[in-house]
Amino acid sequence: MKSVYKIPQKIKCLSDQRERKSIPLFNIVMPVLLFLMLQYESFHTVFSAPESMSKRLRNCITGKIPKVDAVRDLLSRISPEEIQKIHEETIDILKKNRVFREGTIGRYVVAGIDGVELFSSTKKSCPDCLTRKNRAGETEYFHRSVVCMTVGKAPHVILGQEMLKPRDGAEKDEGELTGGKRLIKRLRQRHVHFADVIVADALYLNAPFINTIKENGLETVIRLKDEKRPIFQDAEGFFDQGEGKARSFQRGKKTVEVWDLSGFEIENCPYRLRVVKYHEMWLVTTLEQTAPEILWEMMNCRWDIEENGFHQLKTYYHAKHCYCHAAVEVIFNLMIIGFNMRELYLYRRIQKFVRSRITRKSVSRMFRDDLLT
């Protein structure tokens, strides 16, 4: 964090909008980042803690230890764009160091995109909350983000996130597709070439999303589920007639049979699409020449964003906990920075981690103990 990605140095440069600055900004933001990375479940656990926690704090900052109220007050005043900029600069360094020079799947840098709900409440709300009615008819307030993360070979790095925005007047809250398109455009504009292929679930199979992908110089692989869709019925008709039967391949002891045809269209999309059928799934892709076994691996590795991304963030990083409702985006961006730093450290710096069979949970315990001593 300090020698390669310069995170502490950049935190010192954040704007401080407080009137009273008795505790330096660094003494609040740096411990928050570290303790999010070490997967502590609340600010009270850290900043209203017994003697052991104050020792840990004194081993990462000098001077006065902040109270919970001071932490929440400062985080609510920090601009999310400034924290996002620190994250974007880590992605720049990651690209410069050619972390993914060999690709993540079949020499392609493959990234998954999906939405994640952070937390919900029927009592607490803020201007950035999305709303819905629950089964009891109560108004429920929640926050949701669209996340783009590399899938396939480790390290799994979150490239960016986009918070969905609430309705304006009579309009509906933003949907996942709207946020997804905005995220792709922002990543392309900021990083130029950030990935080769975007994989997504069946929700993203629509013309505006595919057009956005192609206009930004990317390719896509999308799950095809809905049997009522014309593209599914057209492809099924050809496959039933025996057309498109391709060479099967082996995955372990399993033989995977393939049907593969190109030239399909969907309304309002000028690009020709390829439909590939396997026994366990169907997919649509803009990749014309890629081997079916690589497409199969891409679609199966899409689950990395669920298992190595959202599962980690929700279960161990406590993304479903509302640390501070007035600073949801700031805290989520800090959490992502912490997540990426751990992944890059374990899979890039610690060469033997993969073979060590040490769990990430054990790593957290080791880090916590080291910070105490």
Side-chain angles (χ1 to χ4, degrees), residues 54-324:
S54 66
K55 285 181 181 178
R56 289 186 172 94
L57 280 163
R58 292 192 189 284
N59 283 331
C60 66
I61 58 172
T62 57
K64 190 176 178 182
I65 293 175
K67 299 293 184 183
V68 175
D69 290 342
V71 172
R72 288 177 174 158
D73 177 61
L74 175 64
L75 292 176
S76 63
R77 294 172 185 267
I78 291 177
S79 166
E81 287 75 22
E82 289 194 58
I83 305 296
Q84 181 178 294
K85 184 181 177 184
I86 294 176
H87 171 255
E88 289 171 347
E89 288 171 353
T90 66
I91 303 301
D92 290 338
I93 296 169
L94 181 149
K95 286 179 61 186
K96 183 181 176 182
N97 293 345
R98 300 182 68 199
V99 171
F100 299 117
R101 61 185 175 275
E102 297 175 1
T104 60
I105 300 173
R107 303 197 70 80
Y108 293 100
V109 177
V110 184
I113 191 168
D114 205 356
V116 59
E117 184 174 314
L118 301 181
F119 56 84
S120 62
S121 172
T122 55
K123 296 178 181 178
K124 292 184 178 181
S125 66
C126 71
D128 294 324
C129 278
L130 307 176
T131 57
R132 65 187 173 211
K133 294 288 184 181
N134 62 18
R135 291 182 179 180
E138 301 173 301
T139 299
E140 200 167 46
Y141 304 97
F142 66 102
H143 287 262
R144 191 171 179 83
S145 171
V146 179
V147 174
C148 184
M149 187 185 89
T150 61
V151 298
K153 190 172 67 174
H156 299 106
V157 174
I158 295 176
L159 301 171
Q161 69 85 26
E162 189 74 28
M163 300 295 290
L164 300 187
K165 297 178 181 178
R167 64 169 62 93
D168 183 14
E171 296 179 8
K172 290 184 178 180
D173 289 340
E174 271 190 342
E176 193 176 313
L177 279 167
T178 304
K181 288 184 290 183
R182 192 167 67 243
L183 177 58
I184 293 294
K185 289 175 184 175
R186 178 165 64 78
L187 289 174
R188 170 69 175 180
Q189 185 176 6
R190 177 62 182 77
H191 302 293
V192 188
H193 184 77
F194 64 94
D196 300 313
V197 183
I198 302 295
V199 293
D201 62 20
L203 172 68
Y204 290 84
L205 183 55
N206 78 344
F209 182 76
I210 294 172
N211 294 344
T212 299
I213 290 287
K214 293 293 289 182
E215 287 161 7
N216 285 279
L218 299 163
E219 304 292 344
T220 187
V221 179
I222 305 174
R223 186 78 181 266
L224 176 58
K225 277 185 177 180
D226 190 355
E227 297 180 7
K228 296 179 180 178
R229 298 194 67 143
I231 191 171
F232 186 102
Q233 295 176 350
D234 291 347
E236 187 176 42
F238 286 117
F239 295 153
D240 287 346
Q241 293 170 20
E243 294 187 42
K245 186 71 175 76
R247 180 178 57 84
S248 59
F249 59 92
Q250 292 290 130
R251 277 295 176 268
K253 296 181 179 179
K254 182 171 69 172
T255 301
V256 181
E257 294 193 33
V258 184
W259 290 261
D260 184 358
L261 281 176
S262 298
F264 294 95
E265 297 177 345
I266 59 174
E267 192 176 356
N268 298 322
C269 178
Y271 305 101
R272 298 281 178 170
L273 303 173
R274 175 182 173 193
V275 177
V276 186
K277 172 189 172 184
Y278 309 94
H279 272 308
E280 71 271 33
M281 66 180 175
W282 292 51
L283 60 83
V284 173
T285 181
T286 57
L287 289 163
E288 286 292 333
Q289 304 299 325
T290 306
E293 48 263 52
I294 293 177
L295 295 174
W296 182 89
E297 189 176 352
M298 286 179 182
M299 186 48 65
N300 278 279
C301 285
R302 191 194 72 79
W303 288 103
D304 283 343
I305 196 170
E306 297 279 355
E307 295 168 359
N308 292 304
F310 299 159
H311 174 69
Q312 288 282 324
L313 290 170
K314 287 182 176 181
T315 307
Y316 301 111
Y317 288 82
H318 311 286
K320 292 193 78 172
H321 173 71
C322 182
Y323 286 87
C324 175

